[in-house]
Amino acid sequence: MSGAQVVAGGGDFRPRVEKLLTDILGLMGFPARLDLQDATDGSLSVALHFESGTPPGVEPGKRSQVLDSLQFLLNKMLHRPGVERRWVMLGAGAHPEPRPRRDAAAQQQAAAAAPVTSVAQAAASAPAQQPARAAAPAQPQQRNARGGQPAQQATKPAQAQAPAKSAEADERTLQVEEDPAFREAVRKLAEKSASLGRFYAFAAMKTEDRARVLKAVEGVGGVKVAAEGEGRNRRVVFTPAKPAPMPKRSLLPDDDEDDVDA
């Protein structure tokens, strides 16, 4: 190999991105017209205009697990050892909005500036707070109706007002139109999970489709089917009552994903 280093942002970067994406989408069976442009955050933005409909789980203008997986695979193929990295962002039907990247230099600058700001604010507010502290002991403490300990009226309302985490809707309660072909395919997968002892999962599904899956498996024994996760990471998981160990020869090697955003 020559001593010259290949730079990801060089003249051959865009053609490589376009060729890789075209090949991958062709193998998926969903060819698309590619619109490439430089993003404000330094990444390369690519809008995928699918020619014969979008893949399952993909909606124009929205993020999805399918796009995230395709984006991860593309950047893994582009960022080889010894290559300066430049991130590629994918969007369906439109360019994706730039998302903040982890920048070590920016984090260090923010950490260095934070103590200076807090000290200045403390110095400015200290004179106004000192008289209040001096006058506090002279004020009588309010006690509850039974004459017990002082009432803590300042802390309890703040604790009561803490927002509760919103729970995902229960798909089993939704009323959806039944699809006979879809129902038959789901039941066969549930029976396969129960007989083979294998775990399966449906990801990147709409709420209505998850509801159809849960309703379709009612009455199938030997397997538990439930919706897990939150947001676009929510999925339907098939858990067999008697799991069987996977053969060692079929185990896939672990892939280190930590170096993608490095």
Side-chain angles (χ1 to χ4, degrees):
M1 296 180 61
S2 61
Q5 185 186 39
V6 179
V7 180
D12 66 333
F13 184 64
R14 284 197 177 204
R16 289 178 57 214
V17 171
E18 189 170 3
K19 184 179 186 306
L20 283 174
L21 265 179
T22 302
D23 293 344
I24 295 174
L25 294 173
L27 293 174
M28 292 173 58
F30 292 94
R33 178 175 57 85
L34 308 181
D35 180 15
L36 290 76
Q37 71 176 23
D38 296 327
T40 56
D41 60 356
S43 62
L44 181 62
S45 174
V46 183
L48 307 178
H49 301 280
F50 294 98
E51 299 175 355
S52 56
T54 58
V58 176
E59 297 184 24
K62 295 183 179 180
R63 301 298 309 175
S64 67
Q65 289 185 337
V66 177
L67 279 186
D68 287 348
S69 300
L70 180 58
Q71 180 175 288
F72 171 80
L73 174 63
L74 178 65
N75 282 282
K76 272 286 190 181
M77 297 173 70
L78 290 170
H79 298 157
R80 299 191 301 268
V83 176
E84 181 181 346
R85 300 187 173 191
R86 186 185 181 192
W87 194 250
V88 179
M89 301 287 292
L90 303 181
H95 287 279
E97 295 183 1
R99 291 190 290 181
R101 297 287 310 283
R102 290 181 296 180
D103 191 341
Q107 292 178 356
Q108 292 177 359
Q109 293 178 358
V116 177
T117 304
S118 60
V119 171
Q121 291 177 350
S125 59
Q129 294 177 355
Q130 289 177 357
R133 293 196 186 98
Q139 296 179 358
Q141 296 180 340
Q142 295 182 357
R143 297 182 177 272
N144 55 25
R146 297 183 180 179
Q149 296 297 326
Q152 298 179 354
Q153 299 179 355
T155 58
K156 290 184 178 180
Q159 296 175 356
Q161 295 176 0
K165 186 177 180 179
S166 59
E168 292 287 345
D170 186 1
E171 289 86 348
R172 297 182 187 272
T173 61
L174 298 180
Q175 298 297 329
V176 293
E177 183 179 356
E178 183 177 346
D179 185 339
F182 182 85
R183 181 177 183 277
E184 183 65 21
V186 171
R187 290 184 69 86
K188 287 183 178 180
L189 181 62
E191 294 170 355
K192 182 178 179 180
S193 175
S195 62
L196 300 180
R198 296 286 186 262
F199 292 82
Y200 297 100
F202 284 132
M205 300 185 75
K206 297 181 180 179
T207 304
E208 294 78 6
D209 291 334
R210 291 197 297 267
R212 291 188 179 93
V213 173
L214 296 176
K215 293 181 183 298
V217 297
E218 293 178 354
V220 179
V223 63
K224 177 184 176 182
V225 184
E228 301 177 357
E230 298 179 357
R232 60 188 178 89
N233 294 323
R234 194 164 176 79
R235 59 197 179 277
V236 180
V237 179
F238 294 69
T239 304
K242 297 180 180 180
M246 291 286 291
K248 292 184 178 181
R249 64 178 179 275
S250 63
L251 295 178
L252 298 177
D254 294 334
D255 190 8
D256 185 11
E257 298 181 9
D258 296 336
D259 59 350
V260 175
D261 292 336

